[in-house]
Structure formats: structure tokens, C-alpha cells
Amino acid sequence: MTQPFEAGVVVRDLEVMERFYAEALGCVPVHRSHIPQAIAGPAGLGGRLLVVWLEVPSGGRIKLIHPRAGAASIPAAVPLAGRCGLAYLTFHVDDVAPFVAALPSAGGRPLSSPVVVSARGRRISFWADPEGNRVELVDRRGDDLEAG
């Protein structure tokens, strides 16, 4: 591997999704590219695309892929582990609380009940972004939340 991992997310509303990942999760746009049909077609991507690369604070990247022709949505009613394929993006954070506070105003919807749960010594929280893609937050401090 020569660079940090990238994940691609096909989006309907590029502006809304770019704002969500920037405001709620601290991702920074680092590149924007129009991909013509001459490249996207043979690569198996369909038609023309606009792709925005967002750098995650830890160094990985998310590619927001906006097709010029509409994209089909995947029904959200099936539980995360109830279907095959990519289920969610995980963000490891120092403290889950500020993210949990920021996500609703950025268009996020909590999926965990309660919003933050304890799992194997970690505090985690699952969310849906404005288009229903799943996002997991993992608090690296776990359950050992000593003051100071």
C-alpha cells in the first residue's frame, strides 16, 4: 500500500454531503475532478461523474462520487448486519461527545439506542448521514473516562 485507504460514497446531493462530512466529522476537501464518460464508462463507473476527495483528520480519504445521471438508493430498513456489502464507515475519535452534539445540526440521524453505547470496552455510536449512509463513531478512550 502506498497511501492511506480511500472509500467511495455515491451521493445524490454533493453539496449537502460535502458539508455534512466537513462540518460534522472534520473532513477537508483536497481534490475535485470531473470524470468524463470516456474514462468512467470503461472503468465500470457508468457515465460522467464529479468526484470530491475529502481527507479524514487521521489521513484516510472519502471520495464523494456524484453521477451526472441519478443513482438508485438502497433501502435502509434492513439492519446493518442483515445485508451483504459495505455496511458503514468507521471514524475513530478521541471523544465521541462533540461529534454526537454536532451530527444532528449537520443532518445526521442517530441509529444507536441509546445514542452512545458501550461495546467491549469502547463507546460507540451509529449514525445515518443526510442520504442514509451509515457512520460509526468509536471513542478511543473506551469506557475508562477518567477526569483530567
Side-chain angles (χ1 to χ4, degrees), residues 3-7 27-28 30 53-63 91:
Q3 294 183 326
F5 185 76
E6 292 183 353
C27 299
V28 177
V30 293
W53 282 260
L54 302 175
E55 190 159 283
V56 176
S58 62
R61 291 187 179 181
I62 298 170
K63 293 181 282 195
F91 294 85

Side-chain angles (χ1 to χ4, degrees), residues 25 41 44 52 69 74 99 108:
L25 297 167
V52 176
I74 297 173
F99 294 94

Side-chain angles (χ1 to χ4, degrees), residues 14-23 29 32 52 54 64:
L14 183 60
E15 184 179 321
V16 166
M17 297 298 282
E18 189 174 351
R19 185 172 47 249
F20 172 81
Y21 284 96
E23 291 177 5
R32 181 178 298 263
V52 176
L54 302 175
L64 298 180

Side-chain angles (χ1 to χ4, degrees), residues 8-147:
V9 179
V10 177
V11 302
R12 287 184 303 276
D13 189 327
L14 183 60
E15 184 179 321
V16 166
M17 297 298 282
E18 189 174 351
R19 185 172 47 249
F20 172 81
Y21 284 96
E23 291 177 5
L25 297 167
C27 299
V28 177
V30 293
H31 186 67
R32 181 178 298 263
S33 183
H34 291 274
I35 311 297
Q37 168 64 34
I39 295 171
L45 297 169
R48 297 182 312 137
L49 308 167
L50 174 57
V51 180
V52 176
W53 282 260
L54 302 175
E55 190 159 283
V56 176
S58 62
R61 291 187 179 181
I62 298 170
K63 293 181 282 195
L64 298 180
I65 302 163
H66 185 253
R68 294 299 180 197
S73 296
I74 297 173
V78 177
L80 288 175
R83 59 186 163 98
C84 292
L86 181 64
Y88 52 89
L89 300 173
T90 299
F91 294 85
H92 294 269
V93 299
D94 289 329
D95 182 1
V96 75
F99 294 94
V100 167
L103 283 162
S105 63
R109 183 175 48 86
L111 300 174
S112 304
S113 181
V115 174
V116 177
V117 299
S118 178
R120 297 186 180 246
R122 296 274 186 201
R123 297 173 71 225
I124 64 171
S125 187
F126 278 96
W127 291 78
D129 72 15
E131 292 190 1
N133 301 297
R134 303 319 204 245
V135 173
E136 176 191 31
L137 302 174
V138 177
D139 191 322
R140 69 180 224 149
R141 300 172 306 162
D143 287 329
D144 185 23
L145 300 176
E146 295 179 28

